Amino acid sequence: MTLLIKICGLSTPESIDTAIEAGADLIAFNFHPRSPRYVELDRAAALAAHARGRVETVALVVNAGDDALSAIRSAVEPDSWQFHGQETPERVRDVRAVWGLPVMKAIGVSGPADLAALASFAPVADRLLLDAKPPKDAAYPGGHGQPFDWRVLSALPPHRPFMLSGGLTPENVGEAIRLVRGFGVNLLGVDVSSGVESAPGIKDPDRIRAFVAAAREAEGAR
């Protein structure tokens, strides 16, 4: 299976075009107000329309209520959700049933014990995203540019697919892919946000292209 590449936190038509032309498979719009990548609903709707039919669009939310999800679903029409908060397996199950869209669930990882959560989410989430845990005083979830120790992933069962996030960059994504796949686990894809930025929330076209190229090169080296 071809490695999936996801570029998260896009906020301009130009960055969308760059990601698509570079060969990304998924792009995400961030609806968490505290994030520097936050996009308001009207803007996200226009961006999603610009991308529609060319790439899979993902709506990233953090502990969003039904009203917020309904508004996003109606205005943006994303292809899937990304839950990046403290959502429970029951919440993931219910959202899939009500809105009929696939759900990607992000799970923060700092050590082997954090991998236990995968067993609860695997039956209800369409994709699992393993991300670095944020600093304790962080205003929003995610790796904040710092990777976790990828060696903990060697404990994963080979039948459980997952995507990798947290501190990935054009400089280290190839190393991450080669190392993790060397464990014999099922790496479905990679995800990046701050690692392709020139400043918080500002995507760098050259870094987007370099990230996708490095990931594809590592994928082909198997």
Side-chain angles (χ1 to χ4, degrees), residues 1 11 15 34 46 103 106 126-127 151 154 183 204:
M1 179 181 292
S11 58
S15 62
R34 294 185 179 181
V103 177
D126 298 273
R127 292 175 179 141
R151 292 173 295 182
S154 63
F183 298 144
D204 183 311

Side-chain angles (χ1 to χ4, degrees), residues 6-194:
K6 176 173 170 285
I7 312 294
C8 193
L10 298 181
S11 58
T12 66
E14 293 78 14
S15 62
I16 290 173
D17 290 339
T18 298
I20 293 172
E21 290 162 8
D25 302 287
L26 305 90
I27 61 169
F29 307 120
N30 192 319
F31 291 96
H32 187 48
R34 294 185 179 181
S35 171
R37 297 157 196 94
Y38 170 69
V39 288
E40 294 184 352
L41 200 59
D42 289 348
R43 186 178 184 186
L47 293 171
H50 181 75
R52 187 160 295 119
R54 301 195 291 154
V55 69
E56 181 177 334
T57 58
V58 182
L60 187 161
V61 296
V62 178
N63 304 323
D66 287 354
D67 288 348
L69 294 181
S70 182
I72 294 169
R73 178 71 175 86
S74 177
V76 180
E77 300 181 30
D79 294 308
S80 62
W81 303 110
Q82 178 177 333
F83 281 7
H84 220 104
Q86 288 76 49
E87 300 89 359
T88 64
E90 292 75 21
R91 177 61 172 163
V92 173
R93 178 200 63 204
D94 292 346
V95 166
R96 289 178 74 236
V98 171
W99 276 276
L101 293 179
V103 177
M104 176 188 299
K105 179 65 179 90
I107 297 171
V109 177
S110 62
D114 297 312
L115 300 179
L118 273 70
S120 298
F121 284 102
V124 294
D126 298 273
R127 292 175 179 141
L128 298 172
L129 178 69
L130 302 187
D131 196 4
K133 279 188 173 179
K136 290 184 178 179
D137 59 348
Y140 53 92
H144 291 251
Q146 298 299 317
F148 63 92
D149 185 352
W150 302 319
R151 292 173 295 182
V152 304
L153 301 179
S154 63
L156 286 174
H159 66 274
R160 182 154 292 154
F162 66 95
M163 294 184 67
L164 178 63
S165 187
L168 295 178
T169 68
E171 292 78 21
N172 70 13
V173 67
E175 174 191 359
I177 292 168
R178 288 186 289 269
L179 176 69
V180 172
R181 282 195 158 165
F183 298 144
V185 296
N186 193 349
L187 179 63
L188 178 66
V190 290
D191 171 79
V192 66
S193 186
S194 63

